[in-house]
């Protein structure tokens, strides 16, 4: 059996998963990769931290140079996350002709070009399956298995924290704040949950997925982003009345070379496969012009699921001939220039919930505004007063498909009406057709 | 741009899909594969048949030798199906150093060893993604992306015809015969639907999937098989009452090296992702010891979805260096010897529907039989008489988990009771835990 030495950069959640899998499934991994894999060094910040796994002390180091200068280490696994020093370490490891496996979505979504180009320049292999949707093989799915297709559309539930929160809100009729609190206590949400609940995490992931699916470079700033904090139990209730679920979707569409990139809460039909993705599970639904509809579903986070993706990347590299210098791997498929649509140009149906004065003629005023903006309403629901003293009622409008700019125009005019007390929420509706 | 010539064996449904995709997505395929692909020959039985696609007459041939002896043809795509002459043609093409892409589940499930060995012997590449579940990349998913895992369990809805029939029966409360008739008219079922409705098609596919998932050889005769013809609307109704759906599942489990392989109608919780796979869609749900639960969902048949898998296999071969002779591809992972459990040894919960005489003491007789066989009943439901004249009632029993042998024993004894008129149906229940 051939032997190979590898190093880990980082021993947090994902690093622990990689360490456990390489030991627990050692026999399977040896047979499938053709190599006995030795983790010869692990870079950590604190040698004495408890990491929930037994690691021999002598392989821990706080000094990256020890790994860099060890020519017997052929492959470096970056699982520290964040931009720096991960970026610097990867670049220098590649310059030293070491192959790279990384789980770093933030780096790839923002500074991906530089590391991809370095890999190509140095002829080293560079794999990053774990950077999006944890254990779900969506990166290789797109890069290797959908190559016969033009991808038309991609819809992802790619953030487990928000899907957990929305699932709880839907199934147990709870409000956002209390579910977030519970998620924090259970470890499903971080102490500072901003990156998850405001959609930044999904934004990174969509940038990576869309760039692969459409074969184009994606600037993270071109991805429109909205979080889930504005979703109220009453919106869940209305959604359910309409036969819909609310999910935080990462959406990418290719409209004849002009692409849409957006992350926002979305009402989807409850019969759609994505509507049945609950708890912290992730799923990516793709439509290709040959394959039709395809969905990948699984664990988007966690030490072992994410570790599964990292280790399969390691095995994938070892199965190629790593003894040959100057590999010529296909690392990216950035083949086309595509123009990104502004969110104003996006077409969708919309759910609009407003609070209005309970007076005759109000409904007429409102529908007139939408009509004059060429927004066609599919249904209008007026609910009774909250109580006898209240002079306000809730109005829920569902539009037909229309340009977002026209919705925004209409909303602005609604605010001018004295009878309109508040625009409570606007949620895009996706019909998948 | 480099050029490569390929040949198709067969121009039926899948062949047409491959032909259309190679033309329609030509630009994408060129950029991703690095090759301009020319279909230089297509083997057909009848030169004059209308195939629903425009093909230049001069590339059609009825003579396989023309393809075999053309050294400029580097890759042969076998989409004719069936054992012979597909087997002979593939073996001879490999002997002539041509790479192979095939969609032939029947051949791989029954005579796979011979063709895999030939590919290894000749150092040619051999890809077969399209052989199971059409456009769903489950073969590469297991072979390339789950390599870090021990696969514990695999559950597949791998036959679109039966899933279409069961979906219709469930959602529209129709009976089997009328849905089958409609499926034939719509082209979802063949004139002779035996292979689908009796589970043979699923049996082939499970043999292939299980051999990959568990890294072992699977004899098709070791796969237990039951079709869906015995499912009645009343069973669907009871299932729904219990919060379950009925699906034809292909099930493979690895119980510490002893494996289960079985295809049969199965009651599953309606909240499980597989329960929401409707119509002719396929899905494969896998549990790995690192990745946890993972599901792949998509189109299991059809010219373009299956063609998508075939063409992605072609691209995958072209991305390797096909100019190098004697490739050393990893074609199989038949690494372990595993023992297959007899169906008698399988443990499951069971749904048992019987018709009994409406007499005092009958229920007691029946529960006594199960009790004496150590089968514990979870629930017993007795429905009233069909009408006043009937002296028979329906009894539905749900067991706790038990060995199949004990169920069979109990059933035999039930038949001896004069009060038991008929054992109407027995359906296994899968709880996924």
């Amino acid at each position: 059996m051939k032997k190979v030495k590898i190093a880990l950069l980082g021993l947090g959640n994902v690093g622990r998963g990689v360490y456990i899998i390489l030991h627990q499934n050692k026999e399977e991994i040896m047979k499938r990769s053709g190599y006995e894999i030795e983790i010869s060094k692990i870079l950590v910040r604190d040698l004495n931290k408890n990491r929930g796994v037994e690691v021999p002390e002598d392989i821990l180091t706080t000094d990256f140079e020890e790994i860099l200068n060890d020519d017997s280490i052929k492959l470096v696994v970056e699982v520290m996350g964040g931009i720096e020093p991960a970026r610097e370490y990867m670049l220098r490891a590649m310059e030293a002709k070491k192959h790279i496996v990384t789980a770093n979505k933030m780096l790839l979504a923002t500074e991906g070009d530089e590391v991809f180009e370095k890999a190509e320049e140095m002829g080293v292999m560079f794999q990053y399956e774990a950077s999006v949707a944890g254990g779900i093989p969506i990166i290789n799915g797109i890069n290797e298995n959908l190559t016969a297709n033009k991808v038309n559309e991609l819809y992802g539930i790619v953030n487990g924290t928000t899907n957990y929160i929305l699932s709880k809100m839907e199934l147990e009729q709870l409000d956002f704040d209390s579910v977030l609190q519970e998620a924090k206590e259970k470890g499903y949400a971080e102490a500072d949950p901003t990156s998850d609940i405001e959609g930044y995490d999904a934004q990174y992931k969509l940038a990576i997925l869309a760039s692969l699916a459409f074969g184009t470079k994606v600037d993270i700033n071109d991805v429109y982003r909205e979080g889930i904090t504005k979703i109220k139990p009453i919106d869940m209730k209305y959604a359910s009345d309409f036969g819909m679920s609310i999910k935080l979707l990462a959406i990418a569409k290719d409209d004849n070379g002009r692409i849409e990139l957006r992350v926002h809460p979305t009402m989807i039909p409850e019969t759609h496969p994505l509507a049945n993705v609950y708890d912290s599970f992730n799923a990516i639904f793709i439509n290709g012009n040959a394959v039709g509809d395809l969905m990948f579903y699984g664990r988007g986070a966690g030490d072992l699921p994410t570790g599964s993706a990292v280790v399969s990347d390691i095995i994938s590299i070892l199965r190629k001939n790593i003894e040959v210098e100057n590999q010529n791997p296909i690392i990216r498929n950035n083949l086309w220039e595509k123009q990104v649509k502004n969110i104003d140009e996006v077409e969708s149906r919309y759910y609009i919930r407003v609070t209005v004065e309970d007076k005759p003629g109000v409904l007429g005023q409102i529908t007139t505004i939408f009509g004059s903006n060429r927004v066609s309403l599919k249904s209008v629901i007026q609910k009774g007063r909250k109580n006898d003293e209240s002079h306000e009622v809730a109005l829920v409008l569902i539009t037909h498909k229309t340009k977002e700019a026209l919705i925004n125009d209409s909303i602005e005019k609604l605010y001018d009406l004295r009878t309109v007390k508040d625009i409570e929420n606007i949620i895009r509706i996706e019909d998948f057709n």
Side-chain angles (χ1 to χ4, degrees), chain A:
Chain A
M1 184 66 61
K2 292 178 286 186
K3 291 187 181 185
V4 64
K5 288 186 184 179
I6 72 171
L8 305 189
L9 309 183
L11 189 56
N13 193 31
V14 181
R16 180 178 61 245
V18 172
Y19 189 91
I20 292 171
I21 293 167
L22 284 173
H23 286 83
Q24 191 172 309
N25 293 348
K26 192 181 171 92
E27 191 197 339
E28 281 75 15
I29 292 165
M30 278 203 315
K31 290 200 176 182
R32 291 181 184 140
S33 69
Y35 281 88
E36 189 179 336
I37 299 170
E38 183 197 333
I39 302 175
S40 71
K41 286 273 181 301
I42 303 179
L43 182 69
V44 295
R45 262 185 301 203
D46 175 358
L47 292 173
N48 300 312
K49 193 174 163 188
N50 180 356
R51 298 160 201 290
V53 61
E54 287 274 326
V55 177
E57 271 175 38
D58 58 324
I59 69 172
L60 296 180
T61 175
T62 57
D63 181 9
F64 174 65
E65 310 295 327
E66 266 192 48
I67 292 168
L68 186 70
N69 298 324
D70 185 341
D71 286 339
S72 72
I73 294 172
K74 300 295 181 197
L75 191 155
V76 169
V77 178
E78 185 276 307
V79 283
M80 53 205 301
I83 307 276
E84 293 295 357
R87 179 185 142 279
E88 182 207 326
Y89 291 171
M90 278 199 261
L91 291 172
R92 293 179 64 199
M94 288 190 277
E95 279 164 4
K97 290 279 186 186
K98 299 181 197 302
H99 304 292
I100 301 284
V101 174
T102 179
N104 198 322
K105 62 175 174 281
M106 195 193 282
L107 178 67
L108 295 183
T110 56
E111 320 258 334
D113 282 348
E114 189 181 13
V115 290
F116 288 135
E117 275 159 25
K118 181 61 77 180
E120 282 161 3
E121 176 196 336
M122 300 307 300
V124 297
M125 289 182 277
F126 188 97
Q127 300 263 128
Y128 52 100
E129 179 61 71
S131 64
V132 177
I136 303 175
I138 187 61
I139 304 268
N140 287 318
I142 296 172
N143 276 350
E144 308 286 340
N145 305 130
L146 291 179
T147 48
N149 289 264
K150 276 186 209 170
V151 172
N152 299 316
E153 292 162 4
L154 180 154
Y155 306 88
I157 294 173
V158 290
N159 181 272
T161 305
T162 46
N163 203 53
Y164 174 85
I165 292 172
L166 292 174
S167 295
K168 276 267 179 187
M169 288 178 69
E170 176 182 327
L171 299 175
E172 299 175 23
Q173 288 97 45
L174 299 171
D175 68 61
F176 175 81
D177 290 326
S178 63
V179 179
L180 175 61
Q181 189 53 41
E182 190 206 319
K184 281 185 191 176
E185 283 159 16
K186 286 194 175 167
Y188 290 160
E190 294 181 45
D192 176 359
T194 309
S195 172
D196 293 320
I197 64 176
E198 294 296 355
Y200 292 99
D201 176 78
Q203 189 185 29
Y204 291 133
K205 291 167 177 169
L206 183 64
I208 296 173
L209 291 180
S211 95
L212 299 174
F214 300 146
T216 191
K217 286 191 188 183
V218 169
D219 183 334
I220 187 82
N221 299 308
D222 286 338
V223 181
Y224 176 83
R225 180 193 50 74
E226 250 176 51
I228 64 164
T229 56
K230 67 174 186 179
I231 304 297
K232 299 277 185 294
I234 185 72
D235 298 313
M236 286 284 177
K237 173 80 174 54
Y238 280 117
S240 168
D241 290 349
F242 296 125
M244 309 268 233
S245 287
I246 301 177
K247 297 289 184 187
L248 181 69
L249 287 197
I251 301 176
K253 299 189 185 189
D254 190 341
D255 179 9
N256 293 312
R258 301 193 67 233
I259 62 176
E260 288 176 25
L261 303 166
R262 45 198 173 101
V263 169
H264 52 68
T266 315
M267 283 195 187
I268 61 176
E270 64 193 5
T271 51
H272 192 274
L274 283 172
N276 291 296
V277 175
Y278 285 113
D279 301 322
S280 62
F281 276 94
N282 283 16
I284 295 97
F285 188 93
I286 293 182
N287 180 274
N289 75 337
V291 77
D293 290 340
L294 194 65
M295 189 173 84
F296 297 73
Y297 165 99
R299 289 268 170 217
D303 52 358
L304 295 179
T306 310
S308 167
V310 170
V311 174
S312 83
D313 273 353
I314 296 172
I315 294 170
S316 163
I317 288 178
L318 295 178
R319 280 178 168 183
K320 287 157 195 152
N321 196 342
I322 60 161
E323 269 102 54
V324 175
E325 286 230 335
N326 298 315
Q327 301 274 342
N328 190 16
I330 298 165
I331 289 173
R332 281 178 305 176
N333 285 303
N334 290 344
L335 307 169
W336 290 277
E337 293 257 344
K338 306 217 176 191
Q339 208 192 332
V340 181
K341 283 190 196 174
N342 189 284
I343 189 72
D344 278 354
E345 299 173 76
V346 163
E347 294 203 349
S348 180
R349 292 206 296 128
Y350 296 82
Y351 157 98
I352 302 164
R353 179 163 61 84
V354 295
T355 299
V356 298
E357 266 185 53
D358 188 13
K359 278 188 180 169
V362 175
L363 196 56
Q365 292 178 318
I366 290 174
T367 53
T368 303
I369 286 179
F370 281 103
S372 67
N373 273 305
R374 286 167 294 139
V375 175
S376 167
L377 296 174
K378 193 189 171 202
S379 64
V380 180
I381 293 166
Q382 179 172 339
K383 289 275 171 173
R385 297 178 181 188
K386 290 171 201 157
N387 51 55
D388 284 348
E389 282 94 66
S390 164
H391 295 281
E392 297 177 350
V393 290
L395 215 57
V396 171
L397 313 165
I398 305 282
T399 76
H400 283 289
K401 205 167 199 178
T402 183
K403 269 225 169 68
E404 180 131 337
L406 299 176
I407 292 293
N408 292 340
D409 247 30
S410 311
I411 295 299
E412 226 166 89
K413 287 177 188 156
L414 283 192
Y415 272 119
D416 290 341
L417 288 181
R418 269 189 318 152
T419 47
V420 170
K421 293 301 162 195
D422 208 355
I423 315 291
E424 308 282 355
N425 216 342
I426 302 172
I427 303 175
R428 294 170 191 83
I429 299 171
E430 181 60 54
D431 298 308
F432 301 96
N433 52 38

